[in-house]
Amino acid sequence: GQNIDQPTEMTATEGAIVQINCTYQTSGFNGLFWYQQHAGEAPTFLSYNVLDGLEEKGRFSSFLSRSKGYSYLLLKELQMKDSASYLCAAHNQGGKLIFGQGTELSVKP
Amino acid sequence: DTGVSQNPRHKITKRGQNVTFRCDPISEHNRLYWYRQTLGQGPEFLTYFQNEAQLEKSRLLSDRFSAERPKGSFSTLEIQRTEQGDSAMYLCASRPKVSTDTQYFGPGTRLTVL
């Protein structure tokens, strides 16, 4: 079967660092996406990992371990506007995305 | 605006009615995907097209659902005899032919079935 697991919700403080974990079990795995989604809006692309290791992009970094079926999204210097749902998605052959349920991040002052 | 567009943005209908949604992908994106998202959940894959060919359909896509992309550009998703369980956000995404695996999402159509 196909399964993507991530925490339902997390809370962090403005200026802090938060790590959102994602584990996956899928067939035909090509890579791992992270999307950000504000309430009532479309998901917006954050990162895509194909190879093992860390990819850094400004305040956001994403890590992938294919052998462990594990990824995380690291957000640094948190801002209030980072409050959103963060979606982990496995990219399968054929191109479809298998999403987790999303992690609702609340950033507090 | 060169992003993915979807119409209508909101649709309220009565149970048993038919509804049709439209998605206009980013120009020259040959792959187009439909997803459904309910509150508190991640999007679920429904179907996808490469140009005008529908290449995969999820088991979620019952025989009441049909999708088309007649000229390989815009796509429509029709739901016949709507049920309350069809209430969800219907998202469309497109992806270019080469250079990236990234899918770009439209704003979605929120369907409410009364």
Side-chain angles (χ1 to χ4, degrees):
Chain A
Q2 305 191 89
N3 197 41
I4 314 291
D5 280 321
Q6 52 181 131
T8 305
E9 50 188 29
M10 299 182 72
T11 302
T13 305
E14 194 175 14
I17 299 173
V18 70
Q19 177 173 313
I20 303 174
N21 296 324
C22 171
T23 58
Y24 64 89
Q25 281 183 303
T26 67
S27 55
F29 177 79
N30 278 350
L32 198 291
F33 278 97
W34 285 94
Y35 281 84
Q36 179 192 61
Q37 187 177 29
H38 285 100
E41 297 182 11
T44 54
F45 169 75
L46 288 178
S47 68
Y48 179 47
N49 293 65
V50 175
L51 303 176
D52 284 3
L54 186 69
E55 299 251 351
E56 297 187 71
K57 206 185 278 187
R59 294 191 299 116
F60 293 3
S61 303
S62 57
F63 172 84
L64 177 67
S65 168
R66 295 176 73 111
S67 62
K68 295 182 179 178
Y70 168 68
S71 173
Y72 67 73
L73 180 70
L74 193 71
L75 293 77
K76 304 175 187 175
E77 301 168 17
L78 280 172
Q79 302 175 8
M80 300 297 290
K81 68 178 182 179
D82 296 330
S83 292
S85 181
Y86 290 85
L87 300 163
C88 167
H91 178 222
N92 278 21
Q93 290 172 352
K96 70 182 182 186
L97 300 180
I98 309 298
F99 283 89
Q101 68 178 21
T103 298
E104 192 68 36
L105 175 66
S106 297
V107 180
K108 308 289 186 187
Chain B
D1 182 13
T2 57
V4 178
S5 62
Q6 293 186 245
N7 287 289
R9 293 292 308 277
H10 303 274
K11 179 71 177 178
I12 300 174
T13 191
K14 293 183 179 179
R15 190 177 51 177
Q17 297 295 304
N18 298 344
V19 293
T20 300
F21 311 140
R22 176 177 169 129
C23 170
D24 287 87
I26 296 171
S27 179
E28 297 181 1
H29 280 199
N30 72 326
R31 294 196 186 189
L32 186 149
Y33 301 80
W34 285 98
Y35 294 85
R36 179 173 69 186
Q37 186 177 26
T38 54
L39 202 60
Q41 300 298 315
E44 296 173 294
F45 170 78
L46 292 178
T47 188
Y48 94 93
F49 294 83
Q50 181 167 300
N51 300 313
E52 64 275 10
Q54 188 173 18
L55 295 187
E56 188 174 349
K57 292 194 292 186
S58 162
R59 283 171 292 184
L60 291 175
L61 215 65
S62 76
D63 55 8
R64 295 186 299 106
F65 288 69
S66 62
E68 294 182 344
R69 194 183 183 199
K71 297 181 181 178
S73 56
F74 73 91
S75 175
T76 58
L77 178 68
E78 181 183 16
I79 309 175
Q80 296 182 327
R81 305 181 303 281
T82 52
E83 302 172 357
Q84 288 185 323
D86 297 331
S87 296
M89 175 76 87
Y90 289 84
L91 293 164
C92 174
S94 71
R95 174 187 156 187
K97 186 175 183 179
V98 294
S99 79
T100 180
D101 292 324
T102 302
Q103 294 180 24
Y104 298 90
F105 283 84
T109 295
R110 181 166 293 285
L111 173 66
T112 303
V113 182
L114 302 176

